[in-house]
Amino acid sequence: MQVLFSPSGVVMLKVGESLANKLCAPCGNFNGNVSDDLRLPSGKIVGSIAEVIDAWKARNFLGCHASNIVRADLEAPLVPAH
């Protein structure tokens, strides 16, 4: 697994195929099926990435939240990459 940071602030997570169906949280489960990526720790599938981020974030970090502007982008429907 690699976490890449660009100078412009973009963060990219690269994972190998050996992690398929073994990931969770806002990155999805990496199984190629976007319909089951937005899963809460409880296992419930939701329709908002913002809800997933809120559910998985570490609770002991103050100020760790999505702003209203970012939240609007996060709550947009997922579109599968082609």
Side-chain angles (χ1 to χ4, degrees), residues 55-75:
W56 283 97
K57 70 182 176 185
R59 299 288 176 218
N60 59 346
F61 291 97
L62 297 176
C64 181
H65 65 279
S67 71
N68 289 338
I69 295 171
V70 171
R71 182 172 296 277
D73 288 336
L74 293 175
E75 290 177 346

Side-chain angles (χ1 to χ4, degrees), residues 13 21-30 37 39-41 52 56:
L13 178 67
N21 256 339
K22 296 179 182 172
L23 298 178
C24 57
C27 292
N29 57 16
F30 192 59
D37 283 348
R39 190 177 300 270
L40 300 180
V52 174
W56 283 97

Side-chain angles (χ1 to χ4, degrees), residues 5-19:
F5 301 92
S6 76
S8 64
V10 173
V11 177
M12 181 186 302
L13 178 67
K14 288 187 172 187
V15 297
E17 289 184 24
S18 64
L19 293 177

